[in-house]
Amino acid sequence: MGSVSLNVASSRRGGRRGLACLCSPALLNLLVLLSLLSTNLLALLAFLSPRARGPVPAAADRSASSSSAISTQVAAIAREIDATRLVPHRAALPPELLLFLSPHALPLGRDARTGLTHMPASVAHACFRSPPTLALLSAFTSYEPRAACPRNATLPHRLLSKGCEPLPRRRCLSRGPRAPLPSSNMGVDSRRWVKPRHDHEFLIDDVLRLAAAASTKIRIGFDVAGGAANFAARMRERGVTIVTTVLDNAGKPMNEFVAARGLFPLLLSPAHRFPFYDGVFDLVHVGTAALDEGGAPALGQAGTEEALEFLMFDVDRVLRAGGLLWIDSYMCHSEERRQVVVRLIRRFGYKKLKWVAGEKAGTGSSKTAMYISAVLQKPGRG
């Protein structure tokens, strides 16, 4: 009996020594390392397996297709505005114009989103729409590179009047002023907007009082087709900054004249989109020239109702909510034309702060003219 007990005890002691050997730190570390390696290997195989990937989520698929569609549209637009495709007789064009119209390589190579490798030049399609306009454009770009620019003041005006805007850039040096400029601040009319002349002409101080009564502060404004910028000069006396669109006409240096008065001239015809962000002006001032020429195919011709609507929408775009639209003595050539303007104004829902409409008797052989003068406030739109 005693020997059996001794053997059992000895057997237990031997088992413990075997387990101690199997559970040594070195062996445990090796087992942990092997399990980590096998787990990572299995995860890698599962990730690379085609069956484990599954279908692409619908949201990601829509995003990818939308991005692809946008890239395709951008590429199509870029190909469409490539002016070199629109020129019928490229060999007859001046070398400088051909150089400008040639697509220029992108500095970083192919664009991944659009697939474009070159960027076409930004020249208006109207520049190539008719042979006379193309001839004017050729004359505009016929010069010696890096020399003085040719002095032909009427060419830019004639091109802009035909819708050829923007014009191509030129590699020639600008000249100085073309003629001595008058030193008078007002230059043309010292009474307009200050002293009453006609019932349909509003005074600046009256309009500013209307703005104050309507809780609108006038700080910066936009005068469309403002000529010599007399309106801007008068508004400056009252602490209001006005940007004026000016076109040189018949060789008269109107832009230089306006700049010499310390005012801001903008070379832009009323027929084109205003290069301003939405809702930046407190006041937009338009008269007969702006409303008749806006959107018209050539300056001096009254635009269609659709063209006038495009102009009014652009005026509305740059005018802030609560700002004022001043229609200054618009002389309509017919009652039908006046009704067109009235209908357009009603569509925009402007509030009438002041409104005068009627007839003005002509002198001599001139016909009776219909007129509209109004100060309107743009509503807030949610």
Side-chain angles (χ1 to χ4, degrees):
M1 179 71 69
S3 62
V4 172
S5 299
L6 288 174
N7 288 337
V8 170
S10 175
S11 169
R12 289 177 179 174
R13 285 194 296 269
R16 288 171 186 168
R17 284 196 300 269
L19 288 175
C21 251
L22 290 176
C23 298
S24 64
L27 185 60
L28 288 176
N29 291 338
L30 180 61
L31 291 175
V32 170
L33 179 61
L34 290 175
S35 65
L36 288 176
L37 289 176
S38 60
T39 303
N40 291 337
L41 182 60
L42 290 174
L44 180 62
L45 292 175
F47 178 77
L48 296 177
S49 174
R51 297 179 181 178
R53 294 183 187 180
V56 178
D61 187 44
R62 286 195 300 269
S63 176
S65 70
S66 175
S67 176
S68 175
I70 293 175
S71 302
T72 303
Q73 291 177 4
V74 171
I77 293 172
R79 288 191 297 268
E80 179 67 20
I81 66 175
D82 186 354
T84 57
R85 300 173 183 266
L86 304 176
V87 181
H89 305 291
R90 295 188 59 191
L93 297 180
E96 284 295 293
L97 181 57
L98 287 175
L99 180 62
F100 182 83
L101 294 177
S102 300
H104 300 278
L106 296 177
L108 299 180
R110 182 181 180 275
D111 182 71
R113 292 182 62 85
T114 63
L116 297 176
T117 57
H118 292 72
M119 182 58 64
S122 56
V123 180
H125 284 195
C127 298
F128 311 100
R129 190 166 49 193
S130 64
T133 308
L134 188 58
L136 290 175
L137 184 64
S138 298
F140 178 75
T141 53
S142 296
Y143 60 88
E144 183 179 352
R146 303 177 184 87
C149 294
R151 182 163 281 173
N152 192 329
T154 62
L155 270 181
H157 175 269
R158 294 166 67 187
L159 284 168
L160 293 179
S161 68
K162 295 180 179 298
C164 184
E165 185 180 0
L167 293 174
R169 289 174 173 166
R170 300 191 297 184
R171 297 188 301 165
C172 58
L173 303 175
S174 62
R175 298 176 181 265
R178 287 168 281 181
L181 301 174
S183 58
S184 171
N185 186 41
M186 287 305 297
V188 180
D189 191 344
S190 60
R191 291 189 56 189
R192 191 172 184 188
W193 302 295
V194 179
K195 299 178 182 179
R197 302 187 311 173
H198 307 286
D199 294 338
H200 56 81
E201 288 186 353
F202 300 158
L203 305 183
I204 287 178
D205 291 335
D206 293 340
V207 174
L208 293 179
R209 278 192 289 269
L210 289 173
S215 302
T216 296
K217 185 173 180 58
I218 305 299
R219 298 155 297 186
I220 183 171
F222 183 41
D223 188 15
V224 184
N230 292 327
F231 178 77
R234 285 302 187 197
M235 293 295 283
R236 181 176 60 179
E237 296 172 356
R238 288 149 179 84
V240 179
T241 302
I242 298 292
V243 178
T244 307
T245 64
V246 182
L247 284 179
D248 292 352
N249 194 5
K252 296 179 181 179
M254 297 302 296
N255 279 271
E256 296 171 9
F257 174 68
V258 171
R261 303 171 72 180
L263 303 171
F264 194 111
L266 178 65
L267 181 62
L268 184 76
S269 71
H272 295 86
R273 187 180 189 272
F274 304 137
F276 302 110
Y277 196 72
D278 298 359
V280 295
F281 291 111
D282 305 313
L283 171 72
V284 176
H285 179 258
V286 296
T288 300
L291 293 174
D292 276 350
E293 296 169 3
L299 296 179
Q301 298 180 5
T304 62
E305 182 175 355
E306 291 78 12
L308 184 59
E309 187 177 33
F310 274 109
L311 170 70
M312 294 298 294
F313 267 100
D314 213 24
V315 167
D316 179 81
R317 181 184 63 81
V318 299
L319 184 63
R320 69 172 177 85
L324 301 187
L325 170 60
W326 183 352
I327 300 177
D328 193 357
S329 302
Y330 175 48
M331 296 297 170
C332 312
H333 55 77
S334 66
E335 175 62 22
E336 181 182 1
R337 180 68 173 181
R338 184 172 67 174
Q339 291 302 322
V340 167
V341 176
V342 171
R343 286 197 301 270
L344 280 177
I345 293 173
R346 288 174 180 168
R347 292 177 193 171
F348 288 95
Y350 281 33
K351 180 181 179 181
K352 295 180 181 179
L353 302 183
K354 192 171 183 178
W355 179 278
V356 176
E359 297 181 1
K360 180 181 178 181
T363 59
S365 59
S366 60
K367 299 180 180 179
T368 301
M370 312 293 175
Y371 64 81
I372 295 176
S373 290
V375 178
L376 311 168
Q377 186 177 31
K378 179 180 176 179
R381 304 186 183 111

